[in-house]
Amino acid sequence: MQEQNTSENEYDIVAIQDKWLPIWDDIKPFNSGLADDTRPTKYVLDMFPYPSGDLHMGHAEAYALGDVISRYWAQKGFNVLHPIGWDAFGLPAENAAIKRGLDPRGWTYENIEQQKSSMRRYACSFDWDRVLQTCDPIYYRWNQWLFLEFYKRGLAYRKNSNVNWCPSCQTVLANEQVVQGLCERCDSVVTKKALTQWYFKVTEYADRLLDDLDTLEGNWPSKVLTMQRNWIGRSHGAEVDFEIEGRTEPVTVFTTRPDTLFGATFMVVAPDSDLAAELASGSTPEVRMAFQAYLDDVKKSNDIDRLATDREKTGVFLDRFAINPVNGERLPIWAADYVLSDYGTGAIMAVPAHDDRDMAFAVKFELDVRTVVDTGEDDPSVTKVATTSEGVLVNSGEFNGLPKADAIKAITEYLEISGKAKLAKNFRLRDWLISRQRYWGTPIPIIHCDDCGEVPVPADQLPVELPSAAGLDLKPKGSSPLGAAEDWVNVACPKCGAAAKRDSDTMDTFVDSSWYFLRFLSPNSEEVPFPKEEAARWAPVDQYVGGVTHAILHLLYARFFTKALHDMGMINFEEPFTRLLNQGMVLMNGSAMSKSRGNLVALSDQLDEHGVDAIRLTMAFAGPPEDDIDWADVSPSGSAKFLARAWRTANDVRSEVGVDFAKGDATLRKATHSFLRDFGPLIENFKFNVGVAKVMELVNALRKTIDGAAGPTDPAVREAAEVVAKALSLFSPYTAEDMWSKLGHQAPVALAGLPEADLSLVVESSIVAVVQVDGKVRDKFEVATNISADALRELAMGSDAVKRSIGDREIAAVIVREPKLVNIATK
RNA sequence: GCCCCUUUAGCCCAAUGGCAGAGGCAGACGACUUAAAAUCGUCACAGUGUGGGUUCGAGUCCCACAAGGGGCACCA
């Protein structure tokens, strides 16, 4: 048989892609910045990519899912801001540059161009007029501006502290770069080093960062909320002052269990604290030597040892004594590394009977155990197993008999009168170390002058641009490569004019990503980081989409920035991301894709083989978006097959644009409108996989109608095909656009608008009712949907099958749920 | 060690406390074809990881356990 015009009748995704991409470039359907746009606004944001190489399967999933949401709101008539940019500063660019002897700029911008072109092909609904790159001076000058605003307010400060140090890379590492105590890049054992570094005072916002998580409940994954709560880690308790023999000032300890004060049998101080050094120095020569030896040991230890479970407790007795404020007892003071110098006050009261760690220590060094809370369990002073649960006080003088909560209150209040205690809280959260001794980042806009100290770079001298990397040795050597850029680093002090030096550190790249969502509102402004009125119009982000790997750091830092900017009067909201979706990962045969595992699937190969639309559809259809996708379990060729099937239906329609749908086949119209009823809520609740299944269902119904009695001229066929094209545009925009065109419409289908369901077409006049006996189905019959309970009960009781099933048993109850169900319970 | 999530057909996954199956993959069969591919169509006795409980009724709620995944882990 002779084939007809092939291009007309065969689904050719490559031709379709080539046809529509330039047309979209021309008509810019997703331009969000038109002045006369009166549509309501939505801000949908995907976490921006790091430009390391081309896009991979993980990007493909994340951006496909974000695009479903963005395109959905566009179809619902919203002016959607859906921008994209690049998180372009950072170590990988610098390392690649070192390896190849190139400027990180070249590597970075090449990768950005590569990703940009892949993104366009991938047909995300981005507003391409709002692109930003954090390594552009026009972007990072505002990092510097914000840093200086923070500095003015005391939110940016410099301090000396013990930081993570990789002896091989010769650089400070962020906490997230330390994996199981090893440097993530070279696997060297990470040590601690005392360095003066810049910090952002995140802890000042600890309470608000914690409390405001409640406002996100239901809109963020509960897993992320839990992780943030744990990370901030607020504990309530009391600070209690202990007099120290031979010392004027008392030592304050933080405890969450002031109710156990009578059970304190010793005190422990962090060995690396000033207090420990001072107490030791006031002790005997033997103690001083023992302490110094212990301190050296502790400093040599690393996180691998520290984090080992079941680790033996170590410590050294300082031969000094504290006085228990509740009973005047002398408590020996020990230095031990299970007490941290940077949490609480670096000193604790030890209550071995009711704390596992104190008990382990007491057992090891044969210290007293005194039970002061009766929990009903065996006596810890006998068993040497601490009891930490609720109970009533014993051995606690006038407080005996009080339950835990009351005792905490009573003892704290009792000590408060004499000024020896007060209620207190502590956080696990630490301030954010933002200095990096690296080249490829935002220079810190501070000048160090011998006379004036830290001098902020005046605002009119921003940006402090990164000098060219030419001639600089970027290899890590413990201090920033920028220090060697003589022309750049040596400047006159802005205050006194004397010779001074620029701060040569750069900022952590998490600073860049902490406020980029606001920069999209005016990515090229040289006047302001973002205009207040634009922020009021668009922000906060209505829907944020990204990986759960950023559950703590990025999201916490962005929340901190948002609160700080709020307090600076720049924005009128306090949470940056109203709703959050964490998509899963793309795996291959059960594990993360990697070159070394040999299970890498190249996105570009997949796109070449199956087409963009099929890959995007597969991502959405694979399962719930937060679940991982195992690429071995899904079928991109099946997706392509479905798309061809859907596309063919549009090709088969034989009626004119504007035909009266009301005259169409009732069965198909019902399918179309129940689809319309179900689809929106599914997408809004992130059930994209179910949404795709519903489109498939509608396509099946449509196919059946075209091939059936109603045929391709039936108006309902056109109605259904148009709905399919519009719905499919969220997942597979090329195919949808081509269908829309075949149906006689102008591009873009993306803005054609999903109609509301006509529910009158969906209502059933009759329904199949089920009769159960003791929960088992025994009969069913068709009844009117408006049947009364009595009538339904009557029908059910009259059924022969039901009677047979009941037999001669006595009926206990008849539950009627009209019009669907009757359940007869027997005795 | 503590906390959280998941467990439904060979596989991926649906199912407001009310007939366990929406959709897909793989498979079987049929139509079309000389044949195959493509296309169109037909085909599902799994009793929902295990054991208890609540209920007229449980995949769904509660408890315990198991397996898999994730988070936290000397934070006083």
Side-chain angles (χ1 to χ4, degrees):
Chain A
M1 190 206 271
Q2 200 70 29
E3 267 301 317
Q4 293 177 344
N5 188 337
T6 335
S7 67
E8 284 291 309
N9 295 312
E10 268 179 30
Y11 176 73
D12 178 352
I13 187 59
V14 173
I16 292 171
Q17 285 173 197
D18 289 347
K19 176 176 179 190
W20 292 108
L21 192 52
I23 293 175
W24 290 336
D25 275 349
D26 201 39
I27 60 179
K28 295 186 177 182
F30 305 107
N31 187 328
S32 55
L34 302 176
D36 56 352
D37 201 325
T38 56
R39 293 174 295 172
T41 61
K42 272 286 176 199
Y43 189 174
V44 177
L45 184 63
D46 303 287
M47 290 183 184
F48 63 168
Y50 184 83
S52 54
D54 200 356
L55 299 182
H56 51 64
M57 296 297 283
H59 292 118
E61 182 189 5
Y63 294 113
L65 301 186
D67 216 38
V68 170
I69 298 173
S70 174
R71 286 173 175 271
Y72 171 74
W73 289 114
Q75 285 288 24
K76 294 303 276 186
F78 284 78
N79 182 12
V80 181
L81 173 56
H82 186 211
I84 188 69
W86 276 269
D87 189 14
F89 271 139
L91 278 180
E94 197 161 329
N95 293 335
I98 291 167
K99 206 166 154 190
R100 299 172 175 80
L102 302 168
D103 190 311
R105 278 178 188 78
W107 185 89
T108 303
Y109 283 106
E110 270 172 38
N111 283 333
I112 289 175
E113 283 316 307
Q114 168 83 62
Q115 290 196 351
K116 207 178 270 181
S117 110
S118 297
M119 289 266 199
R120 281 181 179 273
R121 179 190 184 202
Y122 203 58
C124 293
S125 61
F126 294 130
D127 181 348
W128 288 103
D129 292 338
R130 292 188 189 255
V131 176
L132 66 78
Q133 287 142 189
T134 58
C135 61
D136 290 343
I138 199 174
Y139 184 86
Y140 68 70
R141 72 169 288 168
W142 298 109
N143 279 347
Q144 294 171 336
W145 185 87
L146 288 165
F147 176 96
L148 293 173
E149 290 295 313
F150 282 12
Y151 183 75
K152 253 189 238 169
R153 289 166 172 77
L155 290 175
Y157 69 97
R158 222 167 163 232
K159 75 170 176 193
N160 187 277
S161 159
N162 282 318
V163 299
N164 297 312
W165 178 258
C166 174
S168 153
C169 299
Q170 288 285 297
T171 184
V172 166
L173 297 177
N175 284 331
E176 66 272 16
Q177 291 166 324
V178 182
V179 181
Q180 312 268 5
L182 301 177
C183 171
E184 68 163 355
R185 283 184 26 244
C186 68
D187 282 345
S188 309
V189 174
V190 174
T191 59
K192 297 283 178 186
K193 187 168 177 175
L195 284 173
T196 300
Q197 303 277 300
W198 286 98
Y199 290 81
F200 280 162
K201 211 171 190 175
V202 185
T203 52
E204 188 165 313
Y205 285 83
D207 272 317
R208 285 162 68 186
L209 287 168
L210 185 64
D211 293 337
D212 289 353
L213 290 171
D214 293 347
T215 69
L216 302 172
E217 203 72 57
N219 291 317
W220 279 32
S222 51
K223 184 178 161 186
V224 174
L225 295 176
T226 304
M227 284 164 77
Q228 292 236 343
R229 288 188 179 114
N230 289 342
W231 187 265
I232 296 166
R234 179 169 59 199
S235 10
H236 295 278
E239 282 179 354
V240 182
D241 289 347
F242 285 67
E243 299 295 335
I244 306 294
E245 288 182 1
R247 189 178 195 260
T248 357
E249 287 297 304
V251 164
T252 306
V253 307
F254 174 73
T255 177
T256 55
R257 296 290 305 275
D259 57 313
T260 62
L261 254 166
F262 285 86
T265 53
F266 56 102
M267 176 183 272
V268 187
V269 298
D272 53 341
S273 63
D274 294 343
L275 176 64
E278 180 220 302
L279 291 173
S281 72
S283 191
T284 63
E286 294 76 37
V287 166
R288 287 206 294 273
M289 278 179 60
F291 172 75
Q292 193 54 52
Y294 181 61
L295 183 58
D296 290 345
D297 273 357
V298 168
K299 279 191 172 160
K300 257 183 266 166
S301 81
N302 51 58
D303 282 356
I304 297 186
D305 304 331
R306 263 188 53 80
L307 295 175
T309 47
D310 302 336
R311 180 170 165 251
E312 279 273 291
K313 289 277 182 289
T314 58
V316 50
F317 178 44
L318 297 178
D319 202 10
R320 301 284 302 262
F321 293 87
I323 305 301
N324 189 334
V326 291
N327 57 13
E329 283 183 15
R330 290 178 91 219
L331 306 178
I333 304 178
W334 289 67
D337 69 353
Y338 80 94
V339 173
L340 309 175
S341 59
D342 60 350
Y343 182 81
T345 61
I348 63 155
M349 64 174 209
V351 185
H354 306 294
D355 181 282
D356 293 323
R357 298 150 300 178
D358 296 343
M359 178 63 94
F361 194 83
V363 168
K364 172 88 184 278
F365 294 102
E366 298 178 347
L367 299 165
D368 290 344
V369 176
R370 183 185 306 156
T371 306
V372 292
V373 181
D374 181 3
T375 64
E377 296 155 278
D378 291 342
D379 185 350
S381 67
V382 178
T383 61
K384 306 294 181 193
V385 176
T387 59
T388 55
S389 49
E390 301 284 328
V392 295
L393 263 57
V394 294
N395 296 326
S396 297
E398 58 184 284
F399 302 101
N400 283 341
L402 287 178
K404 178 176 162 181
D406 295 351
I408 288 176
K409 194 160 175 270
I411 293 184
T412 308
E413 277 170 3
Y414 164 75
L415 288 171
E416 217 164 2
I417 294 164
S418 49
K420 288 178 184 160
K422 60 174 191 214
L423 289 174
K425 59 190 167 192
N426 255 301
F427 296 91
R428 160 188 252 109
L429 181 72
R430 308 292 202 271
D431 278 340
W432 173 14
L433 195 173
I434 62 152
S435 325
R436 297 289 180 272
Q437 291 74 48
R438 290 302 205 123
Y439 170 78
W440 192 231
T442 303
I444 289 174
I446 291 286
I447 291 166
H448 298 283
C449 169
D450 286 342
D451 295 327
C452 311
E454 294 165 2
V455 182
V457 172
D460 61 7
Q461 291 175 26
L462 297 182
V464 176
E465 282 204 43
L466 267 180
S468 161
L472 293 183
D473 178 13
L474 300 186
K475 278 200 202 72
K477 53 193 172 297
S479 64
S480 171
L482 288 175
E486 301 276 335
D487 294 347
W488 181 86
V489 82
N490 292 305
V491 287
C493 169
K495 247 188 203 166
C496 70
K501 280 185 188 297
R502 290 192 188 282
D503 196 303
S504 60
D505 285 353
T506 53
M507 295 182 203
D508 182 359
T509 56
F510 275 110
V511 175
D512 311 344
S513 52
S514 290
W515 67 283
Y516 77 111
F517 60 98
L518 290 165
R519 183 62 181 172
F520 278 125
L521 307 179
S522 63
N524 300 311
S525 171
E526 304 205 33
E527 312 302 318
V528 285
F530 55 89
K532 260 176 106 163
E533 59 283 2
E534 287 290 296
R537 181 179 177 210
W538 291 104
V541 173
D542 294 293
Q543 178 66 60
Y544 200 30
V545 180
V548 73
T549 43
H550 296 107
I552 297 175
L553 294 170
H554 162 58
L555 291 174
L556 190 74
Y557 296 151
R559 295 181 62 228
F560 159 69
F561 259 68
T562 301
K563 290 177 194 307
L565 292 171
H566 171 268
D567 292 355
M568 287 159 59
M570 295 179 68
I571 49 179
N572 58 4
F573 53 90
E574 294 202 50
E575 284 294 335
F577 312 119
T578 306
R579 267 187 118 195
L580 174 66
L581 171 64
N582 285 136
Q583 88 282 353
M585 293 191 307
V586 185
L587 313 177
M588 188 61 190
N589 289 315
S591 47
M593 291 184 189
S594 77
K595 215 177 254 175
S596 58
R597 261 196 203 91
N599 65 349
L600 204 67
V601 176
L603 174 61
S604 56
D605 293 348
Q606 294 292 308
L607 296 176
D608 290 344
E609 189 178 342
H610 305 287
V612 170
D613 281 356
I615 298 307
R616 292 178 47 137
L617 186 73
T618 302
M619 295 293 183
F621 185 52
E626 55 276 8
D627 288 3
D628 290 343
I629 298 173
D630 194 327
W631 202 245
D633 287 339
V634 296
S635 171
S637 60
S639 298
K641 208 168 100 179
F642 163 71
L643 288 171
R645 182 173 158 86
W647 181 87
R648 249 180 268 119
T649 62
N651 223 21
D652 289 342
V653 171
R654 293 286 174 275
S655 57
E656 295 307 310
V657 172
V659 70
D660 184 7
F661 298 149
K663 296 189 177 122
D665 177 75
T667 309
L668 183 56
R669 294 210 75 201
K670 188 170 159 186
T672 303
H673 285 268
S674 45
F675 169 83
L676 288 169
R677 178 196 57 200
D678 297 341
F679 188 65
L682 288 170
I683 300 303
E684 288 180 37
N685 290 304
F686 308 142
K687 299 183 149 195
F688 308 138
N689 54 328
V690 186
V692 172
K694 295 283 179 198
V695 181
M696 291 173 167
E697 219 177 332
L698 182 56
V699 168
N700 289 344
L702 175 54
R703 179 78 262 157
K704 199 173 230 167
T705 309
I706 292 172
D707 295 341
T713 57
D714 191 284
V717 164
R718 166 167 287 276
E719 182 184 34
E722 291 188 351
V723 167
V724 166
K726 290 170 178 180
L728 211 49
S729 77
L730 315 199
F731 311 101
S732 300
Y734 291 106
T735 303
E737 193 70 271
D738 211 56
M739 287 176 71
W740 194 237
S741 163
K742 295 271 179 204
L743 289 166
H745 295 286
Q746 291 293 311
V749 64
L751 303 180
L754 269 171
E756 292 295 322
D758 181 348
L759 295 178
S760 70
L761 296 172
V762 181
V763 282
E764 307 269 1
S765 60
S766 67
I767 191 174
V768 174
V770 173
V771 186
Q772 302 174 334
V773 176
D774 291 329
K776 290 194 178 64
V777 178
R778 294 303 182 193
D779 200 4
K780 33 177 97 172
F781 32 74
E782 195 162 332
V783 299
T785 44
N786 59 358
I787 192 170
S788 71
D790 286 342
L792 185 59
R793 178 185 292 114
E794 201 96 338
L795 267 173
M797 301 308 287
S799 153
D800 289 340
V802 169
K803 282 180 188 156
R804 226 175 7 253
S805 164
I806 295 173
D808 45 16
R809 278 172 297 170
E810 197 181 328
I811 293 171
V814 179
I815 289 93
V816 182
R817 291 283 179 273
E818 74 276 7
K820 276 166 68 179
L821 181 131
V822 177
N823 189 13
I824 300 162
T826 63
K827 284 195 175 159

